Amino acid sequence: MHASSSGLSAQQSAASDYDAVPVGLCVLSRDLRFLRVNETMAMFNGYAPEEHIGRTVSEIVPDLEDVARGLMKKITDTGETIGPFEVAGKTPAEPEEQRFWMEFWSPVTDALGHIVGASVAAVEITERKTA
């Protein structure tokens, strides 16, 4: 019982760390559905983390769908991490403002090594770009 509860504590700590970082993090399926989203990414997008889950990029941040589709294709075609690179667009968080992020996309694989999606890390650089 002790090992089990200690494992749960470590898992809860990891989940808390995922939400606490000042970097937007998410996991997308191959069909661009949000599987996991941290608080920072949710803030960038203008929806709560739980509102993302199961929804597509086009439903949450339609202005970024074409970019996301191209990046997912590159990830699934090459199996390689992409980044750092700059992304620009508008989100429901601030629909009138063009915003900028520095992003990294990495493949997510299943137990057999098949690419099932991508892990995305984003740092907002809007202030730096507009200064």
Side-chain angles (χ1 to χ4, degrees):
M1 182 79 172
H2 178 67
S4 161
S5 64
S6 136
L8 181 59
S9 175
Q11 189 175 27
Q12 287 171 333
S13 177
S16 175
D17 292 346
Y18 189 80
D19 281 332
V21 297
V23 174
L25 300 172
C26 72
V27 176
L28 297 171
S29 66
R30 286 178 73 124
D31 64 350
L32 300 178
R33 290 191 183 278
F34 288 92
L35 302 176
R36 186 171 184 188
V37 178
N38 77 345
E39 291 285 343
T40 303
M41 183 69 80
M43 184 187 65
F44 292 165
N45 295 342
Y47 291 94
E50 59 274 8
E51 292 178 296
H52 285 73
I53 306 306
R55 295 176 69 190
T56 64
V57 169
S58 66
E59 292 173 303
I60 298 291
V61 283
D63 199 43
L64 301 174
E65 179 186 11
D66 289 342
V67 170
R69 190 166 307 288
L71 291 165
M72 185 62 74
K73 179 168 177 19
K74 194 178 284 191
I75 288 278
T76 57
D77 286 352
T78 68
E80 296 178 3
T81 296
I82 306 167
F85 59 90
E86 191 176 295
V87 173
K90 297 178 180 179
T91 72
E94 295 186 44
E96 302 303 316
E97 183 182 340
Q98 179 81 349
R99 297 166 68 196
F100 300 88
W101 299 270
M102 190 61 62
E103 293 190 359
F104 295 84
W105 284 51
S106 301
V108 173
T109 58
D110 64 13
L112 299 175
H114 299 114
I115 297 171
V116 295
S119 177
V120 179
V123 176
E124 186 160 5
I125 59 170
T126 302
E127 284 186 28
R128 200 171 7 181
K129 287 286 292 184
T130 56

